[in-house]
Amino acid sequence: MPKSLVVVESPAKAKTIEKILGKDYIVDSSVGHIRDLPKKELGVDVENNFKPKYVLIRGKGPVVKAIQEKAKKVDCIYLAADPDREGEAICWHLATELKKTKKPIYRIVYNEVTQTAILEAIQNPGTIDQALVDAQQARRVLDRLVGYQISPILWRSVKPGLSAGRVQSVAVRLICEREAEIEAFKPEEYWTLTATLTPTPKEHLFPAKLHKIGTKKGEINNYGFRIDEARAKELAADAKEQTYVVEKVQKRERRQKTAAPFITSTLQQEAARKLRFTAKRTMMVAQKLYEGLDIGKEGLVGLITYMRTDSTRIAQDAIGELRKYIDTTYGAEYLPTRAVSHPSKGGAQDAHEAIRPTLPLRTPESLRSYLNKEQYRLYELIWKRFIASQMNPAIFDATTIDIKAGRYIFRATGSVIKFDGFRRVYMEGQDDVTTNENNTDEGNTTLPNVKEGETLDLRKLDPKQHYTQPPPRYNEATLVKALEAKEIGRPSTYATILSTIQDRGYVTMEQRRLLPTDVGRLVNELLIHGFPDIVDVEFTKEMEQKLDTIAEGEVGWIDTLGEFYPSFQEALEEAPDKMYEARKAMETESGEQCEKCGGNMIVKWGRYGRFLGCSNYPECENIKALNGDDTAAAEPEETDTLCEKCGEPMVIKQSRAGARFLACSGYPKCKNAKPVPMGVDCPESNCEGYLGERRSKRGKVFYGCSNYPTCGFASWDKPIAESCPECDATYLVEKVQKTGETLHACASKDCDYTKTPE
């Protein structure tokens, strides 16, 4: 008869741990949280020290009862949820429900689901960390106080069903502010002048960009010439008549250090850059790798360490194994004399190791046949980053050549790799940057071996016109990076923040960029005026720091909420009037006249976004859609996508029915058009298309492949860019029930997985 009960939060993890522990243990799963605040009431007694009212989550009654029955048959209970605040809270709620069994209850903590880690945890049981529970409880109560009391004000000010999240609202604000920057941006013309040169007699063409005119940069700024076309051509004509002589050659050795192993934020950023995974998708796949997968003879094994961490620390035994692997596989020249140190950023909690493979010898290739495509790609990314993190730097010979041509100085830069070091295994991806610096590949150009005083041949001299570019819109990688830099949210919250702001319709994803919707902009503007603290970056950062001090046991959670609530309560009373004033201030003249009364048509903000309304309201109730049959079409939005038929940039246009689609900017010469991507690849085999919104001839919305008519895949259900946690399906679909409730369900007909959207 089993002597002990181990309770985890995940069925998949339960299977892995059950295999490790053997017949003396029963391993069961709570399937996440079992208790929470009630959905239909505030659930917080503000007058009684913010006492929360916890109830069993709907559907969890049978789960809890089954765990209690098993607990009666054993000698002791081990609570083994994830090693973070949420996991600690799950254990605390379980302990509350299991106290009536009168069995000893222990808390065990581990960083990886491996035999060594689990057995060590069982042999060294502890108790529930109440400080971590209090920190989670403070966050939950704080978010409930904010969301539950602000949301009704938004219902009255905008439309029913909207909700306000404390941290999510700050993320929406960042996206709205970036969009405002882009809209306010005024391009400035600038020119560059690039010479194509070669030494003689051996030809080796290389580019050199104009660096100075005379002793100063003169008409050159950080981008290029602040001049017009005539002046640029005048300079080019003069420079062509000069003799090009090498004035100075500088060579220096440059070392490029390896990146640290992944933490949660960097994993989400790199998976977005290299794999095009959303943050939520990354974390779901990582959860599977952490909890354990069947890899043949070894059976169920946890393949990576815990994936919610802000620490780059690596256990000494893991470093020892890794150094042996590098020495054996790549050779002594790739192994540093001592282990590479990667200090964690300031403010890191350092509760867990960095994200790494549980065993370096488990190469991605050795696991390929056991993992699905997503699991393999993410594991390969984690494995390569970990291996590279303890390898020697890459070494380059960096060269700068200054060439004098009369009063002009041209500069060529290039580098040659002498030793690839960690780059043999891994290279970090790059975020979006503006093109104002006129970035080129000059830094990687191989330059000829020239000497000072040597004369060069000028083969070509090109003046080129440019325009400064606005800052790029956030994508998921750069938004996570911004949130981390501003200390908004924590490793366990980034994915939820990103998915929530999209699910609520405040932000939309187009061309892998995050754009605020009209409703998102309206809500953001109203919250800024009604609740300035709630959407203030510094205030939110300070609140996160206070939650950290609660977790460290330095302050009490009730005291923290007591400091916050009075000013928030005052804001609740004043917000409706402030929001009304803000909304009126957002109204602007459209330049159109009302065809019914001759009054001015005003651009107003409503529950479905912007619209045109008569200024003589309520005497005249004329309203019109801002985009559609009654008005001129919206200006096309530029994208980075090139038309596969003619090579021109694609733009986002809006049909008369309001549907957004990608169209070639070369129209009418090129009439190529396709749907805006939704982040979901076409499920048909051998099809490289993606799914997007389409409309039937009768105007009904459906979702089809971008390769239509070559691929005829179509679905009435809206695809959701999220993989199924129960099977290998790469996306979910949105299902609307007869009751009006919306569910997300697995796209596979053979899987019955469903969930309620957050």
Side-chain angles (χ1 to χ4, degrees):
M1 177 179 172
K3 298 178 181 178
S4 304
L5 171 65
V6 179
V7 185
V8 297
E9 77 279 38
S10 159
K13 192 197 290 186
K15 291 179 181 178
T16 309
I17 293 178
E18 189 172 49
K19 170 184 172 289
I20 292 170
L21 293 177
K23 62 182 180 179
D24 286 339
Y25 294 83
I26 299 173
V27 185
D28 204 354
S29 159
S30 67
V31 196
H33 279 276
I34 60 167
R35 299 199 309 172
D36 196 7
L37 301 175
K39 284 191 173 182
K40 296 185 178 180
E41 60 179 284
L42 180 61
V44 179
D45 189 346
V46 176
E47 303 299 326
N48 187 20
N49 289 331
F50 304 98
K51 184 178 180 181
K53 175 185 177 181
Y54 290 116
V55 297
L56 282 179
I57 296 171
R58 186 178 179 182
K60 288 300 178 76
V63 174
V64 172
K65 188 175 181 180
I67 294 173
Q68 289 172 332
E69 290 300 316
K70 292 173 183 176
K72 293 176 183 177
K73 301 174 182 178
V74 298
D75 296 331
C76 65
I77 303 166
Y78 295 97
L79 302 178
D82 284 347
D84 58 15
R85 297 175 194 177
E86 291 295 322
E88 209 71 22
I90 289 173
C91 292
W92 182 68
H93 287 298
L94 281 167
T96 302
E97 294 295 325
L98 293 172
K99 279 180 182 177
K100 59 190 71 174
T101 64
K102 297 182 179 179
K103 299 293 176 71
I105 298 175
Y106 303 102
R107 168 70 162 131
I108 60 171
V109 178
Y110 44 90
N111 191 52
E112 56 188 64
V113 187
T114 60
Q115 182 171 353
T116 301
I118 297 300
L119 293 179
E120 184 178 346
I122 288 286
Q123 291 165 9
N124 298 279
T127 58
I128 291 171
D129 188 332
Q130 192 60 43
L132 290 181
V133 174
D134 288 347
Q136 189 276 341
Q137 192 164 225
R139 181 186 292 278
R140 186 70 188 96
V141 171
L142 181 63
D143 289 345
R144 172 55 66 93
L145 291 173
V146 170
Y148 203 88
Q149 296 183 87
I150 292 181
S151 295
I153 302 176
L154 289 177
W155 300 346
R156 297 192 296 271
S157 302
V158 186
K159 68 174 181 178
L162 293 178
S163 58
R166 184 178 58 86
V167 181
Q168 293 92 328
S169 295
V170 179
V172 173
R173 180 175 186 173
L174 294 178
I175 294 168
C176 288
E177 288 178 345
R178 176 60 57 86
E179 195 67 20
E181 283 184 70
I182 294 170
E183 291 174 348
F185 183 82
K186 294 181 179 179
E188 295 181 12
E189 180 184 17
Y190 68 95
W191 288 75
T192 56
L193 191 58
T194 302
T196 301
L197 302 163
T198 185
T200 55
K202 188 176 181 180
E203 186 172 277
H204 184 145
L205 298 175
F206 66 97
K209 188 180 294 183
L210 184 58
H211 180 60
K212 288 182 183 179
I213 301 176
T215 58
K216 299 180 180 178
K217 288 192 175 182
E219 296 168 303
I220 304 177
N221 63 9
N222 290 334
Y223 311 142
F225 300 116
R226 295 173 291 184
I227 56 176
D228 59 17
E229 182 177 6
R231 178 63 175 150
K233 290 183 176 179
E234 178 187 328
L235 288 169
D238 184 40
K240 282 183 180 178
E241 302 300 320
Q242 308 303 319
T243 300
Y244 288 74
V245 179
V246 176
E247 184 178 61
K248 183 168 41 173
V249 179
Q250 286 185 317
K251 291 185 178 181
R252 59 186 177 86
E253 186 178 272
R254 184 169 64 88
R255 291 173 176 261
Q256 182 184 9
K257 293 182 179 180
T258 181
F262 283 128
I263 59 176
T264 303
S265 60
T266 54
L267 175 63
Q268 291 173 359
Q269 291 168 50
E270 196 74 336
R273 297 182 193 117
K274 290 191 171 182
L275 309 182
R276 298 198 169 191
F277 283 9
T278 63
K280 191 170 186 177
R281 187 176 175 189
T282 298
M283 297 309 288
M284 290 183 69
V285 177
Q287 185 84 33
K288 291 281 188 182
L289 295 173
Y290 163 69
E291 291 177 346
L293 293 167
D294 190 336
I295 59 170
K297 291 182 179 179
E298 290 187 78
L300 287 165
V301 174
L303 299 178
I304 65 170
T305 53
Y306 192 54
M307 64 284 159
R308 294 184 180 91
T309 178
D310 59 3
S311 172
T312 54
R313 174 175 54 84
I314 295 294
Q316 287 301 314
D317 57 346
I319 291 178
E321 290 179 355
L322 175 54
R323 286 176 59 81
K324 288 178 184 177
Y325 179 83
I326 293 170
D327 190 23
T328 302
T329 307
Y330 301 103
E333 66 271 28
Y334 288 89
L335 184 67
T337 54
R338 64 181 65 181
V340 181
S341 175
H342 296 284
S344 298
K345 62 181 177 63
Q349 297 172 38
D350 203 40
H352 313 295
E353 283 189 68
I355 305 167
R356 61 169 176 83
T358 53
L359 185 65
L361 290 175
R362 289 197 194 99
T363 65
E365 198 57 40
S366 70
L367 299 175
R368 184 187 283 270
S369 60
Y370 305 110
L371 309 182
N372 65 29
K373 183 178 178 181
E374 289 185 332
Q375 292 163 353
Y376 173 79
R377 294 176 72 197
L378 191 65
Y379 180 78
E380 181 183 43
L381 196 67
I382 294 168
W383 184 87
K384 285 185 174 181
R385 176 85 165 221
F386 178 58
I387 300 298
S389 72
Q390 286 295 321
M391 295 178 76
N392 269 323
I395 302 175
F396 300 85
D397 269 342
T399 303
T400 301
I401 303 174
D402 284 348
I403 301 109
K404 186 173 177 60
R407 63 193 183 108
Y408 306 103
I409 299 293
F410 287 79
R411 173 167 288 180
T413 58
S415 59
V416 177
I417 191 164
K418 293 171 62 178
F419 175 64
D420 55 0
F422 73 91
R423 291 165 63 111
R424 179 170 175 180
V425 176
Y426 181 84
M427 272 292 292
E428 190 172 17
Q430 298 295 316
D431 287 323
D432 293 341
V433 293
T434 61
T435 57
N436 293 342
E437 287 80 12
N438 192 36
N439 292 324
T440 69
D441 291 329
E442 288 179 10
N444 295 320
T445 300
T446 302
L447 298 177
N449 187 18
V450 295
K451 298 178 180 179
E452 294 178 3
E454 183 175 345
T455 301
L456 305 175
D457 279 352
L458 174 67
R459 294 297 176 86
K460 190 165 60 172
L461 189 62
D462 293 327
K464 191 173 181 180
Q465 183 187 42
H466 308 271
Y467 289 93
T468 56
Q469 298 294 313
R473 290 187 175 100
Y474 287 111
N475 56 30
E476 288 210 349
T478 54
L479 184 59
V480 167
K481 190 174 183 178
L483 292 172
E484 183 184 33
K486 297 176 186 297
E487 297 184 38
I488 304 300
R490 287 296 181 261
S492 61
T493 64
Y494 298 135
T496 302
I497 291 169
L498 289 166
S499 61
T500 299
I501 61 178
Q502 294 175 68
D503 291 344
R504 289 177 177 170
Y506 296 153
V507 172
T508 185
M509 177 83 79
E510 293 182 2
Q511 298 294 295
R512 301 182 63 228
R513 303 291 190 275
L514 296 167
L515 284 76
T517 62
D518 279 352
V519 172
R521 286 184 170 198
L522 176 57
V523 169
N524 176 62
E525 198 66 29
L526 297 184
L527 290 178
I528 287 173
H529 284 82
F531 299 92
D533 281 350
I534 295 299
V535 290
D536 180 73
V537 170
E538 282 303 312
F539 180 85
T540 307
K541 172 184 174 180
E542 290 172 7
M543 186 56 69
E544 293 287 359
Q545 291 171 344
K546 288 178 180 179
L547 292 173
D548 289 345
T549 59
I550 294 171
E552 292 161 5
E554 295 179 8
V555 297
W557 72 276
I558 295 173
D559 293 337
T560 301
L561 291 179
E563 292 175 5
F564 161 80
Y565 197 70
S567 59
F568 176 64
Q569 197 170 30
E570 185 179 328
L572 284 170
E573 295 172 1
E574 299 174 354
D577 290 339
K578 290 183 176 179
M579 286 184 171
Y580 176 78
E581 293 170 2
R583 185 164 172 172
K584 293 295 291 183
M586 293 174 71
E587 296 180 359
T588 57
E589 295 280 350
S590 70
E592 293 188 33
Q593 279 192 321
C594 175
E595 64 272 21
K596 293 186 178 180
C597 73
N600 294 325
M601 296 298 285
I602 306 295
V603 178
K604 298 189 174 186
W605 293 73
R607 61 178 59 193
Y608 301 111
R610 293 178 294 170
F611 67 97
L612 292 177
C614 183
S615 59
N616 291 328
Y617 178 86
E619 287 77 15
C620 178
E621 298 182 348
N622 184 25
I623 61 172
K624 298 196 301 182
L626 189 61
N627 296 310
D629 291 338
D630 298 320
T631 63
E635 285 294 318
E637 297 177 21
E638 295 183 0
T639 74
D640 296 333
T641 302
L642 297 180
C643 176
E644 64 272 20
K645 293 185 178 180
C646 71
E648 291 294 317
M650 300 288 280
V651 295
I652 296 176
K653 292 186 176 181
Q654 194 162 20
S655 71
R656 290 187 174 185
R660 294 163 67 83
F661 63 95
L662 281 174
C664 181
S665 60
Y667 181 87
K669 290 182 179 179
C670 178
K671 297 181 179 180
N672 184 26
K674 54 187 180 180
V676 174
M678 303 181 72
V680 177
D681 295 333
C682 178
E684 294 290 340
S685 58
N686 301 320
C687 178
E688 297 182 356
Y690 58 82
L691 301 188
E693 180 181 315
R694 291 184 175 273
R695 290 182 185 259
S696 67
K697 292 181 179 179
R698 296 185 178 181
K700 190 172 181 181
V701 174
F702 70 98
Y703 305 92
C705 180
S706 60
N707 285 338
Y708 176 84
T710 304
C711 177
F713 177 85
S715 169
W716 293 114
D717 297 320
K718 181 180 178 179
I720 306 296
E722 180 181 328
S723 57
C724 176
E726 299 295 335
C727 72
D728 292 338
T730 57
Y731 70 100
L732 306 179
V733 293
E734 186 176 275
K735 297 277 190 181
V736 180
Q737 309 300 296
K738 292 181 180 179
T739 60
E741 182 184 12
T742 299
L743 293 177
H744 288 177
C746 181
S748 172
K749 295 179 180 179
D750 299 325
C751 178
D752 58 1
Y753 171 78
T754 61
K755 73 163 192 171
T756 302
E758 296 176 352

